[in-house]
Amino acid sequence: NEYFTDMVDIVFAHEGVLDKYMGDMIMAVFGSVLQQPDDPDNAVTVGNKMMVGLRELNARLAARGREPIRIGVGISTGQVVAGNIGSPKRLEYTVIGNRVNIAHRLEDANKFYGTSVLICSQTYARMKEATPVREIDLIRVRGMETPIAIYEAIGHHTEESFPHREVAVEAFAEGLSRYRRREWKDAARCFRDALGANPMDGPSRIYLERCDVFRSAPPAPDWDGVWSVQSTY
């Protein structure tokens, strides 16, 4: 309840609507009632501030001898079905559709990449504010055939949580470009540089492992760089 209180306050502070609680998850919606041009920016701001708020909550928990909490945030933008959904005995205003499913998949994908806030390309394309992000991957999620470009929102990080961020992000971006050009050796060098700046960078570690695999067993000539992510639930 303490966690929910902190997180919902952040959602409300940035024009978000609390759609529902799903076990220990929160589903928030932006623009389902009244659309605003800055809905994507507000959603990403909430994702970043949730991580900042989580650090503050974990500090309070640690002072009481409690274990820290870890969360992931997934953000998707697009057309959904919004309205009262259910049976005549119980209706609930909510949103459903592929974009909702993608947000859920991205939340789950944080476990795979070792990230905290993942957003889809549609969200990134509609952002108006200069918020720090980096491209992470081109993925295919369960239940969808069309690949999705995903990005990590990194504005919530501090020097402690993401040391030498500028250096690491620049090396990672160069590595990703070379990886997609099948330059495995040079790409691996870039990812090692990124890990040298931030040894805890999960995406760089994943790509370094992929480069090692592809150097010994290159993908087929029609390889499109898409990675299939399997959900953990």
Side-chain angles (χ1 to χ4, degrees):
N1 286 342
E2 185 176 1
Y3 160 74
F4 279 151
T5 298
D6 289 0
M7 298 299 109
V8 171
D9 283 348
I10 294 171
V11 171
F12 287 167
H14 297 279
E15 311 300 328
V17 174
L18 173 63
D19 187 276
K20 63 171 67 72
Y21 298 110
M22 302 165 61
D24 60 357
M25 295 174 59
I26 295 170
M27 178 174 169
V29 183
F30 299 79
S32 64
V33 178
L34 180 63
Q35 294 185 15
Q36 301 289 345
D38 57 353
D39 285 331
D41 294 284
N42 282 334
V44 175
T45 296
V46 165
N48 278 320
K49 290 196 172 183
M50 279 182 166
M51 303 314 301
V52 174
L54 183 67
R55 284 198 295 268
E56 297 170 353
L57 172 60
N58 281 334
R60 299 199 304 269
L61 293 176
R64 303 201 297 264
R66 302 283 296 277
E67 292 293 322
I69 294 172
R70 173 169 169 76
I71 67 171
V73 177
I75 302 174
S76 175
T77 301
Q79 295 293 319
V80 296
V81 175
N84 290 317
I85 296 175
S87 74
K89 293 184 178 180
R90 180 179 177 182
L91 292 172
E92 180 180 73
Y93 186 89
T94 188
V95 296
I96 60 174
N98 278 339
R99 306 315 305 184
V100 179
N101 296 337
I102 289 172
H104 195 179
R105 299 287 189 264
L106 293 184
E107 179 274 326
D108 190 60
N110 283 293
K111 302 170 188 175
F112 175 77
Y113 289 101
T115 53
S116 297
V117 183
L118 290 176
I119 69 177
C120 71
S121 56
Q122 287 84 350
T123 300
Y124 176 70
R126 297 187 187 185
M127 291 172 60
K128 301 181 183 303
E129 298 180 6
T131 303
V133 298
R134 63 167 170 171
E135 186 176 3
I136 291 295
D137 209 348
L138 186 62
I139 67 172
R140 182 177 290 107
V141 298
R142 188 181 67 180
M144 294 190 65
E145 291 298 322
T146 304
I148 304 169
I150 62 173
Y151 298 76
E152 179 189 13
I154 55 179
H156 58 88
H157 280 297
T158 63
E159 179 62 24
E160 181 179 357
S161 64
F162 200 132
H164 312 293
R165 190 180 78 182
E166 185 175 342
V167 174
V169 168
E170 183 177 348
F172 177 84
E174 178 65 19
L176 183 59
S177 176
R178 292 184 178 277
Y179 168 85
R180 289 174 174 168
R181 298 199 301 265
R182 299 169 176 254
E183 300 172 3
W184 316 123
K185 182 178 179 180
D186 289 337
R189 173 180 50 78
C190 293
F191 295 129
R192 280 193 291 268
D193 289 344
L195 287 169
N198 177 15
M200 300 302 293
D201 189 41
S204 293
R205 192 169 301 281
I206 286 174
Y207 274 101
L208 186 57
E209 293 173 356
R210 291 184 192 177
C211 288
D212 289 341
V213 171
F214 286 150
R215 287 177 69 179
S216 58
D222 61 350
W223 178 73
D224 56 6
V226 177
W227 193 264
S228 294
V229 174
Q230 300 300 320
S231 297
T232 59
Y233 59 88

